[in-house]
């Protein structure tokens, strides 16, 4: 999850004052930032240190990532003629720094590396709003008033994401995650019409590479059934939906990832361990489950609490394996 490392002193020391995009563009630094949480917590997989906007920056879109705010565009996308700002990506050239980071990690890590991309809906929301949004008013207005422009926009983004993900797998990523963080703002019918087809194009376009595909969103309780049909092997769930209910919604062929509330991780360790234990209990009867938080780690989280959660999850699953 995003910001796993940000609560760590070793992360802050290495990032120092530089911009996150500078850190991502240095393969040695990005590889080290990827490995820090793995070393500290002993988690079972690493998530590449990058960001969902990196492929867009790589093709020349003017995006900055500002501290405390996230991605910001000087000139948001509002019209048909903005589409020409999204040229096709050539991963070997445009994302050479990211692929070099993956090459380093593939030889250094002893756990699987998860590569990732932002889903077209979530990326389009940053492009259209010019940054984060609470209402997604401009995004929804564009999709409903100019559907042809909207579909052209998400189709271009889908081609960029698929090319980026295929290149990440070829460079050594052994699983991928598609982050549709803000899809939960859509009604099921709008999700089915305006977001799902582009995400399906990406997830199905990876099928021949035979790597596990995780499809993630937040606040997507009412969308889980649709998300499960996009072609992923695993669907992420946040804390708003109990895992057994989520399992019924995604069906027997799709595993779940989740769903500890990151805000609960600010409570005393004893309380957090109990909450994590509850997630493990709810997951016990499921056909497949990846323990995770329902969304990113909050920066003020105590690293020792997260370590206690990882240890509890490992002890619980080891005890189950010997049953
Ligand atoms: O080590 C890690 O944190 C993992 C690498 C990672 C990942 C997987 C980063 C680095 N970003 C992401 C994905 C990402 N980026 C998502 C999808 C997952 C999620 O929902 O958390 C999203 C929505 C973004 C966009 C973004 N980038 C935001 C959110 C802004 C908003 O709208 O609320 C923010 C704050 C960023 C900046 C960013 N990217 C990554 C980090 C560690 C940070 C924090 C800033 C920093 O420490 O400098």
């Amino acid at each position: 999850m995003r910001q796993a490392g940000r609560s760590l002193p070793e992360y802050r020391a290495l990032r120092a004052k530089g911009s996150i995009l500078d850190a991502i563009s240095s393969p040695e630094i990005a590889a080290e930032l990827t490995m820090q949480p793995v070393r500290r917590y002993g988690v079972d997989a690493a998530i590449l240190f990058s960001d969902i906007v990196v492929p867009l920056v790589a093709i020349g879109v003017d995006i900055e990532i500002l501290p405390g705010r996230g991605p910001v565009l000087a000139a948001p996308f509002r019209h048909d003629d903005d589409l020409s700002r999204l040229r096709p990506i050539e991963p070997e050239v445009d994302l050479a720094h990211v692929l070099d980071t993956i090459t380093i990690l593939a030889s250094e890590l002893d756990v699987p590396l998860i590569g990732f991309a932002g889903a077209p809906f979530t990326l389009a929301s940053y492009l259209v709003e010019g940054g984060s949004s609470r209402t997604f008013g401009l995004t929804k207005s564009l999709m409903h008033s100019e559907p042809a422009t909207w579909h052209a926009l998400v189709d271009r983004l889908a081609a960029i994401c698929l090319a980026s993900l295929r290149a990440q797998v070829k460079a050594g990523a052994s699983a991928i995650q598609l982050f549709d963080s803000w899809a939960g703002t859509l009604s099921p019918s709008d999700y089915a019409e305006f977001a799902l087809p582009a995400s399906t194009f990406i997830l199905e376009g990876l099928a021949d590479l035979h790597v596990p595909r995780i499809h993630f969103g937040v606040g997507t309780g009412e969308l889980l059934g649709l998300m499960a049909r996009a072609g992923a092997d695993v669907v992420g769930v946040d804390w708003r939906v109990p895992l057994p209910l989520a399992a019924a919604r995604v069906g027997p062929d799709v595993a779940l990832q989740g769903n500890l509330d990151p805000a609960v991780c600010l409570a005393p360790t004893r309380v957090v361990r109990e909450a994590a234990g509850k997630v493990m209990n709810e997951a016990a009867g499921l056909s497949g489950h990846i323990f995770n938080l329902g969304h990113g780690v909050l920066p003020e989280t105590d690293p020792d609490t997260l370590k206690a959660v990882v240890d509890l999850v490992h002890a619980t699953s080891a005890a189950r394996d010997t049953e």
Side-chain angles (χ1 to χ4, degrees), residues 73 76-78 123-141:
L73 268 82
F77 282 48
R78 300 279 158 81
L123 286 178
S125 79
Y126 283 111
L127 294 179
V128 174
E129 305 286 340
S132 286
S133 176
R134 289 171 70 90
T135 61
F136 299 89
L138 294 163
T139 309
K140 292 180 184 183
S141 157

Side-chain angles (χ1 to χ4, degrees), residues 61-243:
V61 183
D62 53 349
I63 304 178
E64 278 185 90
I65 299 183
L66 301 184
R69 280 184 66 190
V72 175
L73 268 82
F77 282 48
R78 300 279 158 81
H79 307 287
D80 214 28
D81 49 9
D82 287 316
L83 289 173
S84 61
R85 293 160 64 193
L86 289 179
R87 67 158 169 86
I89 198 162
E90 290 179 66
E92 313 303 329
V93 182
D94 300 319
L95 294 176
H97 53 298
V98 175
L99 303 180
D100 287 347
T101 305
I102 294 176
T103 307
I104 297 174
L105 288 165
S107 73
E108 299 261 327
L109 283 170
D110 357 304
V111 292
L113 174 68
I114 306 172
F116 70 89
F121 171 76
T122 288
L123 286 178
S125 79
Y126 283 111
L127 294 179
V128 174
E129 305 286 340
S132 286
S133 176
R134 289 171 70 90
T135 61
F136 299 89
L138 294 163
T139 309
K140 292 180 184 183
S141 157
L142 178 72
M143 71 169 59
H144 287 288
S145 56
E146 307 281 346
T149 302
W150 173 264
H151 284 293
L153 174 59
V154 289
D155 287 353
R156 280 190 193 222
L157 291 169
I160 291 166
C161 291
L162 178 58
S164 160
L165 288 168
R166 291 188 68 88
Q168 291 179 54
V169 172
K170 285 197 184 118
S174 42
I176 69 91
Q177 182 152 200
L178 188 65
F179 285 112
D180 210 352
S181 303
W182 314 132
T185 188
L186 295 173
S187 69
S189 59
D190 282 354
Y191 176 76
E193 183 175 350
F194 296 111
L196 181 60
S199 291
T200 304
F201 172 84
I202 297 170
L203 290 164
E204 288 185 348
L206 294 162
D208 62 309
L209 298 181
H210 303 292
V211 294
R213 293 155 293 173
I214 307 167
H215 192 184
F216 171 90
V218 183
T220 52
E222 298 303 325
L223 306 180
L224 290 172
L226 289 167
M227 287 179 74
R229 271 183 251 150
D233 308 284
V234 182
V235 168
V237 192
D238 74 20
W239 56 94
R240 295 171 181 91
V241 185
L243 289 176

Side-chain angles (χ1 to χ4, degrees), residues 1-6 11 15 20 47-52 65 69-71 116 126 132 179 181-182 216 295:
M1 284 296 154
R2 170 161 58 89
Q3 305 187 337
R6 207 160 80 147
Y11 172 86
R15 277 288 316 279
I20 182 167
I47 183 121
L48 178 69
F49 191 84
S50 181
D51 193 82
I52 58 170
I65 299 183
R69 280 184 66 190
F116 70 89
Y126 283 111
S132 286
F179 285 112
S181 303
W182 314 132
F216 171 90
H295 203 187

Side-chain angles (χ1 to χ4, degrees), residues 261-278:
D261 184 345
V264 169
C265 296
L266 302 180
T269 300
R270 177 186 53 78
V271 177
V272 184
R273 283 175 60 92
E274 257 169 50
K278 188 165 168 255

